Amino acid sequence: MKHLLSAKDLSLEDALQLLDTAEAMAATQQHAVKKLPTLRGKTVVNLFFEDSTRTRLSFEAAAKRLSADVINFSAKGSSVSKGESLKDTAQTIMAMGADAVVVRHSADGAAHLLAHAGWIDVPVLNAGDGKHQHPTQALLDAMTLRRWYVPGAPAGTADGSPAPAGRDLAGAEVVIVGDVLHSRVARSNVDLLTTLGAHVTLVAPPTLLPVGMESWTCDVSYDLDDAIASVRPDAVMMLRVQRERMSAAGGGFFPSPAEYSHAYGLNLARREAMPEHAIVMHPGPMNRGLEITADAADDPRSRVIEQVGNGVSVRMAALYLLLADEGNQL
Ligand code: NCD
């Protein structure tokens, strides 16, 4: 594979290779000197047309830990605000000698276009395209889950230590809750978790579910309490209510924030209804008090901070496998 565009493109073998490499990268980050020489002399361009904190910082940290040079481009303050097209921006960046491009864009398919339109000839890593895909987020979520869920082991025995090579997620029950309609995180996770053998249940009000879900490899519920009780999840992943995309569409997706929280928010009572070993996840940024209460976000079972840390390891693995001298290894 030359690019990392979609979690759907990853076979089980690809996914395990990425996750095992991410664990190897994580081990190197325990050393006093975290920098590896692997990508010395290569240049990674971070092309962010949409806001980002965690994803942009962790791609930058990952590239730098591998000794690559990093050029950060954000659409705000650039000629994109003067109407420069994706094509012209891409070609400008290539003229600067990029060896890989990390791209986030509000349009579905932007990363695919960049990779396949013939404008550039280097690996493209999708850091989120519209409502479509966010493969490195799904990988960091899977890395986190692999540390806390051991297939076949009694519930509660996983302790968050690094996963051994080859571990999949067979039998894991994952409940993903909230604004599925606008969420590339949900789509990417349904694809990757299913490939890894987990079973996903999406929980959302009908207004926040996309059309055409029949083809998705998951179950759907409108009732969070019922899903927690009947699925007995190993992990509950909360999604951010994407108010910026809702207001752009004219709003009206739910009656009020209070009613949304009441029906679909994670609070301590719901946390306590989950199996004792189950973990709480959120891709960030969190709307505390809307989809998750502060005490549920800060609960000992919350893995939110760990997810961010795993993001660096996963992005190191992706850059390494797509860029290291041995050629594309994915
Ligand atoms: C997500 C994204 O941008 O898709 N965040 C992230 O990458 N950490 C989810 C979100 O913005 O809600």
Side-chain angles (χ1 to χ4, degrees):
M1 199 184 297
K2 177 166 179 180
H3 310 283
L4 180 56
L5 301 176
S6 167
K8 234 192 182 83
D9 297 339
L10 298 174
S11 65
L12 176 60
E13 201 186 24
D14 295 333
L16 290 176
Q17 186 189 17
L18 275 155
L19 292 168
D20 291 346
T21 307
E23 284 292 1
M25 292 299 176
T28 69
Q29 298 307 296
Q30 303 304 317
H31 303 156
V33 177
K34 296 187 171 63
K35 221 175 170 88
L36 307 175
T38 325
L39 297 185
R40 191 185 291 148
K42 308 260 189 200
T43 300
V44 175
V45 174
N46 274 333
L47 199 55
F48 279 70
F49 295 91
E50 238 192 12
D51 292 344
S52 172
T53 305
R54 275 150 277 262
T55 307
R56 192 178 59 73
L57 288 178
S58 71
F59 262 114
E60 182 172 353
K64 287 183 169 166
R65 303 255 169 100
L66 293 170
S67 301
D69 293 317
V70 179
I71 299 177
N72 283 314
F73 170 97
S74 74
K76 280 191 195 119
S78 77
S79 290
V80 170
S81 53
K82 297 181 190 162
E84 190 163 29
S85 70
L86 182 61
K87 177 179 177 180
D88 291 331
T89 307
Q91 286 176 333
T92 305
I93 271 143
M94 282 315 288
M96 291 176 189
D99 295 291
V101 178
V102 175
V103 62
R104 168 168 288 194
H105 200 286
S106 58
D108 294 18
H112 192 272
L113 183 68
L114 202 56
H116 296 296
W119 306 326
I120 65 173
D121 185 31
V122 294
V124 174
L125 294 94
N126 184 1
D129 62 323
K131 303 189 288 294
H132 181 224
Q133 278 282 330
H134 191 356
T136 56
Q137 178 70 41
L139 284 161
L140 75 87
D141 290 334
M143 178 173 180
T144 308
L145 262 164
R146 253 181 25 140
R147 290 182 162 201
W148 288 99
Y149 173 82
V150 181
T157 51
D159 61 1
S161 47
R167 179 187 286 171
D168 62 18
L169 293 172
E173 288 289 349
V174 181
V175 169
I176 303 180
V177 189
D179 186 359
V180 177
L181 178 65
H182 299 110
S183 182
R184 51 200 176 207
V185 177
R187 278 171 185 70
S188 307
N189 264 297
V190 168
D191 293 336
L192 186 67
L193 289 172
T194 309
T195 301
L196 289 165
H199 173 249
V200 179
T201 306
L202 296 175
V203 182
T207 49
L208 288 177
L209 288 167
V211 288
M213 290 202 59
E214 309 73 53
S215 62
W216 292 31
T217 51
C218 59
D219 287 326
V220 176
S221 161
Y222 306 126
D223 187 325
L224 180 53
D225 294 311
D226 179 61
I228 290 174
S230 59
V231 171
R232 309 289 301 148
D234 299 294
V236 173
M237 185 185 297
M238 304 308 296
L239 299 172
R240 182 174 67 90
V241 174
Q242 302 201 21
R243 286 182 283 200
E244 74 284 13
R245 296 191 211 272
M246 291 182 185
S247 43
F253 290 92
F254 47 81
S256 71
E259 281 180 67
Y260 181 87
S261 300
H262 181 71
Y264 294 102
L266 187 68
N267 51 30
L268 272 195
R270 288 188 171 125
R271 163 67 193 93
E272 270 152 32
M274 287 159 53
E276 191 47 42
H277 72 281
I279 62 171
V280 171
M281 302 168 79
H282 192 302
M286 290 187 277
N287 293 307
R288 286 173 181 252
L290 184 53
E291 71 266 2
I292 190 165
T293 58
D295 46 12
D298 299 331
D299 185 79
R301 301 302 301 182
S302 163
R303 302 273 74 92
V304 174
I305 300 300
E306 210 173 293
Q307 287 172 266
V308 177
N310 290 341
V312 177
S313 305
V314 152
R315 288 162 182 136
M316 287 175 79
L319 287 167
Y320 168 74
L321 290 171
L322 291 172
L323 267 179
D325 280 343
E326 303 87 271
N328 300 321
Q329 302 189 2
L330 267 182

Short mmCIF file of all heavy atoms in Angstrom, two decimals, residues 122-147:
data_model
loop_
_atom_site.label_atom_id
_atom_site.label_comp_id
_atom_site.label_asym_id
_atom_site.label_seq_id
_atom_site.Cartn_x
_atom_site.Cartn_y
_atom_site.Cartn_z
N VAL A 122 3.82 11.15 -3.76
CA VAL A 122 4.39 10.69 -2.49
C VAL A 122 3.25 10.12 -1.65
O VAL A 122 2.07 10.37 -1.95
CB VAL A 122 5.07 11.85 -1.72
CG1 VAL A 122 6.29 12.37 -2.47
CG2 VAL A 122 4.08 12.97 -1.41
N PRO A 123 3.58 9.33 -0.61
CA PRO A 123 2.51 8.79 0.22
C PRO A 123 1.65 9.89 0.84
O PRO A 123 2.15 10.92 1.27
CB PRO A 123 3.26 8.02 1.32
CG PRO A 123 4.58 7.67 0.70
CD PRO A 123 4.90 8.81 -0.22
N VAL A 124 0.33 9.64 0.85
CA VAL A 124 -0.63 10.55 1.48
C VAL A 124 -1.22 9.84 2.69
O VAL A 124 -1.65 8.68 2.60
CB VAL A 124 -1.76 10.93 0.49
CG1 VAL A 124 -2.84 11.76 1.19
CG2 VAL A 124 -1.18 11.69 -0.70
N LEU A 125 -1.21 10.53 3.83
CA LEU A 125 -1.82 9.97 5.03
C LEU A 125 -3.05 10.82 5.37
O LEU A 125 -2.93 12.04 5.55
CB LEU A 125 -0.82 9.97 6.20
CG LEU A 125 0.38 9.03 6.03
CD1 LEU A 125 1.57 9.77 5.44
CD2 LEU A 125 0.76 8.39 7.36
N ASN A 126 -4.19 10.18 5.43
CA ASN A 126 -5.44 10.89 5.68
C ASN A 126 -5.59 11.18 7.18
O ASN A 126 -5.71 10.26 7.99
CB ASN A 126 -6.61 10.02 5.19
CG ASN A 126 -7.95 10.71 5.31
OD1 ASN A 126 -8.02 11.85 5.74
ND2 ASN A 126 -9.01 10.01 4.93
N ALA A 127 -5.60 12.46 7.53
CA ALA A 127 -5.76 12.85 8.94
C ALA A 127 -7.19 13.31 9.20
O ALA A 127 -7.44 14.05 10.14
CB ALA A 127 -4.77 13.96 9.27
N GLY A 128 -8.12 12.85 8.36
CA GLY A 128 -9.53 13.20 8.52
C GLY A 128 -10.05 13.93 7.30
O GLY A 128 -9.58 15.03 7.01
N ASP A 129 -11.00 13.32 6.58
CA ASP A 129 -11.62 14.00 5.43
C ASP A 129 -13.13 14.07 5.66
O ASP A 129 -13.83 13.06 5.61
CB ASP A 129 -11.26 13.32 4.10
CG ASP A 129 -11.74 11.89 3.98
OD1 ASP A 129 -11.71 11.15 4.98
OD2 ASP A 129 -12.18 11.49 2.87
N GLY A 130 -13.59 15.27 5.94
CA GLY A 130 -15.03 15.49 6.11
C GLY A 130 -15.65 14.52 7.09
O GLY A 130 -15.15 14.32 8.20
N LYS A 131 -16.74 13.89 6.65
CA LYS A 131 -17.45 12.94 7.49
C LYS A 131 -17.04 11.51 7.15
O LYS A 131 -17.69 10.56 7.55
CB LYS A 131 -18.96 13.09 7.27
CG LYS A 131 -19.46 14.51 7.54
CD LYS A 131 -20.98 14.61 7.53
CE LYS A 131 -21.61 14.50 6.17
NZ LYS A 131 -21.29 15.61 5.25
N HIS A 132 -15.97 11.37 6.40
CA HIS A 132 -15.68 10.10 5.75
C HIS A 132 -14.76 9.17 6.55
O HIS A 132 -15.21 8.17 7.10
CB HIS A 132 -15.12 10.42 4.35
CG HIS A 132 -14.79 9.24 3.53
ND1 HIS A 132 -13.63 9.16 2.80
CD2 HIS A 132 -15.46 8.10 3.31
CE1 HIS A 132 -13.60 8.02 2.17
NE2 HIS A 132 -14.70 7.35 2.46
N GLN A 133 -13.47 9.51 6.62
CA GLN A 133 -12.50 8.57 7.21
C GLN A 133 -11.46 9.28 8.06
O GLN A 133 -11.12 10.46 7.80
CB GLN A 133 -11.78 7.79 6.10
CG GLN A 133 -12.58 6.60 5.57
CD GLN A 133 -12.54 5.37 6.48
OE1 GLN A 133 -11.58 5.14 7.21
NE2 GLN A 133 -13.60 4.58 6.47
N HIS A 134 -10.92 8.55 9.02
CA HIS A 134 -9.86 9.08 9.89
C HIS A 134 -9.08 7.85 10.39
O HIS A 134 -9.18 7.46 11.55
CB HIS A 134 -10.53 9.84 11.05
CG HIS A 134 -9.60 10.66 11.90
ND1 HIS A 134 -8.24 10.69 11.73
CD2 HIS A 134 -9.87 11.49 12.94
CE1 HIS A 134 -7.72 11.51 12.63
NE2 HIS A 134 -8.68 12.00 13.37
N PRO A 135 -8.34 7.22 9.45
CA PRO A 135 -7.79 5.89 9.77
C PRO A 135 -6.81 5.86 10.95
O PRO A 135 -6.81 4.88 11.70
CB PRO A 135 -7.10 5.48 8.46
CG PRO A 135 -6.93 6.72 7.66
CD PRO A 135 -8.04 7.63 8.05
N THR A 136 -5.99 6.90 11.12
CA THR A 136 -5.06 6.82 12.26
C THR A 136 -5.79 6.93 13.59
O THR A 136 -5.31 6.42 14.61
CB THR A 136 -3.93 7.87 12.17
OG1 THR A 136 -4.49 9.18 12.07
CG2 THR A 136 -3.01 7.61 10.98
N GLN A 137 -6.96 7.59 13.59
CA GLN A 137 -7.75 7.61 14.83
C GLN A 137 -8.26 6.21 15.15
O GLN A 137 -8.19 5.75 16.29
CB GLN A 137 -8.93 8.59 14.69
CG GLN A 137 -9.83 8.65 15.92
CD GLN A 137 -9.17 9.31 17.12
OE1 GLN A 137 -8.48 10.30 16.98
NE2 GLN A 137 -9.38 8.74 18.31
N ALA A 138 -8.75 5.51 14.14
CA ALA A 138 -9.22 4.14 14.38
C ALA A 138 -8.07 3.25 14.85
O ALA A 138 -8.24 2.41 15.73
CB ALA A 138 -9.85 3.58 13.10
N LEU A 139 -6.89 3.46 14.29
CA LEU A 139 -5.74 2.65 14.71
C LEU A 139 -5.35 2.94 16.16
O LEU A 139 -5.03 2.03 16.92
CB LEU A 139 -4.55 2.90 13.77
CG LEU A 139 -4.67 2.22 12.40
CD1 LEU A 139 -3.74 2.87 11.38
CD2 LEU A 139 -4.36 0.71 12.51
N LEU A 140 -5.39 4.20 16.55
CA LEU A 140 -5.00 4.50 17.94
C LEU A 140 -6.07 3.99 18.90
O LEU A 140 -5.77 3.55 20.02
CB LEU A 140 -4.68 5.99 18.13
CG LEU A 140 -5.80 7.03 18.19
CD1 LEU A 140 -6.34 7.20 19.60
CD2 LEU A 140 -5.27 8.36 17.69
N ASP A 141 -7.32 3.99 18.47
CA ASP A 141 -8.38 3.43 19.30
C ASP A 141 -8.19 1.91 19.43
O ASP A 141 -8.33 1.35 20.51
CB ASP A 141 -9.76 3.75 18.70
CG ASP A 141 -10.09 5.24 18.82
OD1 ASP A 141 -9.57 5.90 19.74
OD2 ASP A 141 -10.87 5.74 18.00
N ALA A 142 -7.85 1.27 18.31
CA ALA A 142 -7.62 -0.18 18.35
C ALA A 142 -6.40 -0.51 19.21
O ALA A 142 -6.39 -1.50 19.95
CB ALA A 142 -7.42 -0.72 16.93
N MET A 143 -5.37 0.33 19.14
CA MET A 143 -4.18 0.10 19.98
C MET A 143 -4.57 0.17 21.46
O MET A 143 -4.15 -0.66 22.27
CB MET A 143 -3.12 1.15 19.66
CG MET A 143 -1.88 1.01 20.52
SD MET A 143 -0.58 2.14 19.95
CE MET A 143 0.70 1.73 21.16
N THR A 144 -5.39 1.16 21.81
CA THR A 144 -5.82 1.30 23.19
C THR A 144 -6.64 0.09 23.62
O THR A 144 -6.41 -0.50 24.69
CB THR A 144 -6.66 2.60 23.33
OG1 THR A 144 -5.91 3.68 22.77
CG2 THR A 144 -7.01 2.89 24.76
N LEU A 145 -7.56 -0.32 22.76
CA LEU A 145 -8.40 -1.48 23.08
C LEU A 145 -7.58 -2.76 23.22
O LEU A 145 -7.84 -3.59 24.08
CB LEU A 145 -9.41 -1.69 21.95
CG LEU A 145 -10.78 -1.10 22.23
CD1 LEU A 145 -11.57 -1.01 20.93
CD2 LEU A 145 -11.52 -2.01 23.21
N ARG A 146 -6.60 -2.91 22.36
CA ARG A 146 -5.76 -4.13 22.40
C ARG A 146 -5.00 -4.26 23.71
O ARG A 146 -4.59 -5.35 24.09
CB ARG A 146 -4.73 -4.07 21.25
CG ARG A 146 -5.07 -5.02 20.13
CD ARG A 146 -4.11 -5.05 18.99
NE ARG A 146 -2.73 -4.67 19.15
CZ ARG A 146 -1.72 -5.30 18.56
NH1 ARG A 146 -1.94 -6.39 17.88
NH2 ARG A 146 -0.50 -4.85 18.66
N ARG A 147 -4.79 -3.13 24.36
CA ARG A 147 -4.10 -3.19 25.64
C ARG A 147 -5.04 -3.51 26.80
O ARG A 147 -4.60 -3.90 27.87
CB ARG A 147 -3.41 -1.86 25.91
CG ARG A 147 -2.22 -1.64 24.99
CD ARG A 147 -1.53 -0.34 25.30
NE ARG A 147 -0.19 -0.31 24.73
CZ ARG A 147 0.78 0.50 25.17
NH1 ARG A 147 0.54 1.33 26.16
NH2 ARG A 147 1.98 0.46 24.62
#
